[in-house]
Amino acid sequence: MATIERLKKRPDFLATAEGRRFHTERMTAQGRLRDPQAADGLRLGFTITKRVGHAVERNRIRRRLRAAVSLVAPDLPGEVAGLPADIVLIARRPALTAPFEALAEDLRRAIPTVTRPATPRPPGARSGGKSGGRPSKTTPLQRDAGRAPAQPTSSGASGRDPSPGDARDSRITDARGPDRAGAAPVATPNACGGVPDGQ
């Protein structure tokens, strides 16, 4: 029979949030493997926030989850029960009225999932958040960073040395056109087709 200890310290809860996750309608399970030199065995903690309900309801959810863990613990495979792993169960409101067997089934699926060791990635595999073959998106400021500074235009030459204030980016003045120098920019419709920007 697997013995599951309590997870009590806040740093352990925070570290577990960085691990694997398993979501159901009734709860979210977070898990991570501890240092291999740590003592073997699962440690489990509960997080039941005030958004779930008032104190009586939160305590009832906690008691239901503890009872479900006690029911599931003897059925855990030996390799899972012996892992040095921490698990945090974050309860949701439906855990208050869900059938007890549904809670137990969620735990039977969640505990092996969140305690599974990370598989090593082969070299050249995509890392999280980066797209494989697509070029990365750049903003106009990032594109402009690689360009040489703009030269003063001949229309603004007045026989004096150009000062830093005169060396404005030519794209700004060219966008207005030579006949609209100094005029306010034209309001363009926004992407959703609503009121033009600037109004």
Side-chain angles (χ1 to χ4, degrees):
M1 176 177 173
T3 57
I4 300 178
E5 298 179 7
R6 289 273 308 279
L7 191 65
K8 299 177 182 177
K9 296 182 180 177
R10 178 175 168 78
D12 293 332
F13 277 79
L14 296 176
T16 303
E18 302 296 324
R20 290 182 179 269
R21 293 175 183 230
F22 181 86
H23 302 283
T24 69
E25 179 188 354
R26 295 159 287 277
M27 71 181 79
T28 293
Q30 300 173 338
R32 75 170 181 110
L33 295 176
R34 295 191 305 271
D35 185 23
Q37 280 75 33
D40 288 347
L42 297 176
R43 296 190 305 178
L44 194 130
F46 301 98
T47 298
I48 304 161
T49 64
K50 290 183 179 179
R51 285 185 295 175
V52 172
H54 53 74
V56 174
E57 293 172 330
R58 294 196 308 268
N59 287 335
R60 178 170 169 76
I61 290 172
R62 186 177 287 110
R63 287 194 305 270
R64 295 190 85 211
L65 288 176
R66 281 184 186 152
V69 168
S70 299
L71 177 70
V72 169
D75 301 334
L76 289 175
E79 62 272 8
V80 172
L83 285 174
D86 294 339
I87 300 170
V88 174
L89 299 178
I90 303 171
R92 295 198 175 106
R93 176 81 182 175
L96 180 64
T97 57
F100 186 75
E101 188 53 42
L103 291 178
E105 185 58 33
D106 287 347
L107 287 172
R108 287 189 189 100
R109 292 168 41 215
I111 291 175
T113 300
V114 299
T115 57
R116 188 171 56 226
T119 55
R121 290 187 175 166
R126 295 188 327 180
S127 60
K130 297 280 185 181
S131 57
R134 294 192 309 202
S136 62
K137 294 181 181 179
T138 58
T139 64
L141 290 176
Q142 291 170 334
R143 285 193 298 269
D144 293 344
R147 293 184 183 172
Q151 299 297 323
T153 59
S154 59
S155 62
S158 60
R160 58 187 171 88
D161 292 336
S163 65
D166 293 336
R168 295 179 62 191
D169 193 347
S170 63
R171 287 175 294 120
I172 295 173
T173 56
D174 291 346
R176 294 183 183 139
D179 56 335
R180 294 178 52 92
V186 178
T188 57
N190 60 20
C192 66
V195 179
D197 294 332
Q199 293 185 2

